Amino acid sequence: MDISTLCIHGAEDHTHCTGSITVPIYQAATFVHPGVGESTGYDYSRLQNPTREQVEKIVAKLENGADALAFSTGMAAVTALMELFKIGDHLIVSDDLYGGTHRLFHHISMKNGISFSFVDTSDSSEVIKHIKKETKAIYIETPTNPMMQVTDIAAISKIAKENNLLLIVDNTFLTPYFQNPIQLGADIVIHSGTKYLSGHNDTLSGFLVTRTEELSEKLRFIHKTTGAGLSPFDSWLMIRGIKTLAIRMEKQQENAILLANWLSNHPKVQSVYYVGLPTHPGYEISKKQARGFGSMISFKVDTEETAVQLLSKVKLVLYAESLGGVETLITYPMLQTHADVPKEEREAKGIDERLLRISVGIENINDLIVDLGQALG
Ligand SMILES: *Cc1c(COP(=O)(O)O)cnc(C)c1O
């Protein structure tokens, strides 16, 4: 079945008792036992809830995983994932990470005795160089946020397998609609469901998708024990959001390609980082491993004044954090998503006072261009 159809029909048949087209919201904390020592399969909603179970089934199918676990946020998912590791373990991670993940690794995981090598994972030799006997996993984001670096997932998976390491891929930016890391050799896929999967900037959620049942069992234990499962209502909103994933991803990408080209030709724009531009260093790998380029664009303007002016003059385009929704959002990574990354490290990555990031929505492209045009001046 095509992925666009799975997005709509990926839940199990739930129409048998009432004919309801939609999955019901089981707003229940606990469930009655039919007899002594018996269970309906649901005992207490921290362990499992029927509505959450349905969104998990859909996401597992979309990513071709053995299982998917739904969390209250993307960061709750990454936090639970880190419970797979213990004092002394070492991870190799992308050096251009989502700001919240960077903060978690630096301020919480390190305190818990886990060490990290932050490397440019788009260069396989850098990854190999940092493997040591304590290394347990490679953690990548591709494309990265906000610099849009692309890592060859299959190449890194080969290194991971040869060295008996887990490969973990944050697939938030491309979603299963455009990229399936498990098929390329990943063991665990992460999503901030808050972004494209939800698509409407109205729900926070996170997912871990596993390649094997064995990993699923370990993570299910952590999930039920630490307790950050997605609520029934938010699970329902996610099921609803995912139904339109295909059509949104296509339209957002179509707009992004047009906008990236328009920005590239604007006199006040100096560079455009969009993986769908043939000049982008990750263009060929993207074509090989993904079915699309997504709709995240970063760009550098000529001066800090232009950046500040743009952010204060946009009207239709909203100056707000987050990404992936139907509304086009613009952010200033230096002050928002990456504010916690030390200045030197940030600037070495190119995240400076001239860098802006746009998450392109589904508005009419001409309206977006008119708004950005007046704001850039
Ligand atoms: C937003 C985001 C996260 C964190 O997800 P939340 O739902 O905000 O907790 C993790 N990774 C990436 C790439 C993200 O964009």
Side-chain angles (χ1 to χ4, degrees):
M1 206 184 279
D2 186 74
I3 191 158
S4 55
T5 310
L6 272 181
C7 286
I8 301 161
H9 297 284
E12 275 178 355
D13 185 18
H14 42 81
T15 55
H16 55 282
C17 11
T18 62
S20 169
I21 286 290
T22 55
V23 173
I25 303 170
Y26 287 90
Q27 192 62 46
T30 191
F31 300 83
V32 176
H33 297 294
V36 178
E38 288 176 24
S39 165
T40 59
Y42 308 99
D43 302 314
Y44 186 60
S45 280
R46 171 153 43 73
L47 280 57
Q48 190 50 295
N49 172 283
T51 314
R52 187 200 303 149
E53 187 175 38
Q54 290 304 320
V55 72
E56 290 179 338
K57 289 215 153 92
I58 296 167
V59 173
K61 282 185 200 165
L62 296 181
E63 284 288 15
N64 284 300
D67 196 12
L69 291 77
F71 293 84
S72 55
T73 66
M75 288 321 300
V78 185
T79 302
L81 167 82
M82 291 311 289
E83 295 293 339
L84 284 177
F85 305 104
K86 58 178 194 314
I87 294 180
D89 286 350
H90 170 253
L91 274 75
I92 295 171
V93 307
S94 299
D95 61 357
D96 185 25
L97 281 178
Y98 172 70
T101 307
H102 185 277
R103 182 167 60 218
L104 175 78
F105 289 173
H106 271 275
H107 298 288
I108 296 182
S109 307
M110 281 186 188
K111 160 185 78 68
N112 292 342
I114 295 160
S115 68
F116 298 86
S117 294
F118 295 90
V119 312
D120 176 359
T121 53
S122 64
D123 180 352
S124 302
S125 67
E126 278 296 306
V127 174
I128 294 172
K129 236 191 271 171
H130 287 86
I131 297 176
K132 44 187 184 178
K133 74 174 193 315
E134 297 81 17
T135 309
K136 291 287 153 58
I138 304 172
Y139 182 112
I140 61 177
E141 283 179 21
T142 179
T144 60
N145 175 18
M147 299 311 290
M148 311 299 159
Q149 283 170 330
V150 177
T151 292
D152 185 333
I153 300 174
I156 300 293
S157 154
K158 191 162 166 279
I159 298 168
K161 292 212 161 62
E162 283 165 4
N163 292 279
N164 204 19
L165 309 175
L166 283 178
L167 175 60
I168 302 156
V169 179
D170 184 330
N171 200 28
T172 299
F173 272 30
L174 289 183
T175 81
Y177 184 70
F178 281 145
Q179 178 167 275
N180 294 113
I182 289 180
Q183 276 169 326
L184 297 162
D187 299 293
I188 299 172
V189 171
I190 300 169
H191 282 285
S192 167
T194 313
K195 316 295 168 54
Y196 291 96
L197 293 180
S198 151
H200 293 76
N201 289 318
D202 57 8
T203 321
L204 297 176
S205 73
F207 294 90
L208 294 178
V209 190
T210 61
R211 186 170 59 79
T212 65
E213 288 294 344
E214 190 195 343
L215 275 171
S216 159
E217 264 175 48
K218 285 187 191 165
L219 288 167
R220 284 253 167 232
F221 180 81
I222 297 167
H223 188 234
K224 75 173 182 191
T225 307
T226 55
L230 192 61
S231 76
F233 183 57
D234 286 349
S235 297
W236 184 86
L237 280 170
M238 290 306 301
I239 294 170
R240 176 180 154 119
I242 290 170
K243 288 190 185 190
T244 54
L245 179 68
I247 195 168
R248 285 186 281 105
M249 293 300 285
E250 292 289 352
K251 175 68 180 175
Q252 283 173 276
Q253 169 170 262
E254 184 189 311
N255 277 351
I257 292 170
L258 294 167
L259 195 60
N261 280 300
W262 179 80
L263 285 167
S264 304
N265 291 317
H266 195 284
K268 289 192 180 170
V269 176
Q270 290 185 341
S271 15
V272 178
Y273 309 89
Y274 176 58
V275 289
L277 290 176
T279 47
H280 188 281
Y283 181 75
E284 292 302 327
I285 300 169
S286 296
K287 281 214 304 196
K288 189 182 73 168
Q289 72 185 9
R291 293 177 293 276
F293 305 111
S295 47
M296 294 303 300
I297 304 174
S298 291
F299 61 103
K300 262 193 194 171
V301 291
D302 52 358
T303 62
E304 181 172 6
E305 290 67 45
T306 303
V308 171
Q309 175 194 309
L310 176 59
L311 292 169
S312 25
K313 288 181 77 178
V314 281
K315 294 191 186 92
L316 180 66
V317 174
L318 305 170
Y319 172 30
E321 275 164 73
S322 201
L323 58 111
V326 293
E327 298 90 358
T328 297
L329 304 183
I330 190 162
T331 56
Y332 205 14
M334 173 184 84
L335 291 189
Q336 270 100 40
T337 54
H338 289 66
D340 284 356
V341 179
K343 187 164 186 273
E344 262 169 45
E345 200 181 313
R346 192 163 45 65
E347 288 183 348
K349 293 302 302 176
I351 306 169
D352 59 21
E353 67 290 342
R354 295 187 295 121
L355 186 83
L356 295 160
R357 191 195 74 188
I358 290 194
S359 166
V360 186
I362 64 168
E363 300 92 340
N364 179 285
I365 185 63
N366 297 323
D367 290 336
L368 293 176
I369 286 176
V370 165
D371 189 42
L372 289 167
Q374 65 79 23
L376 266 170

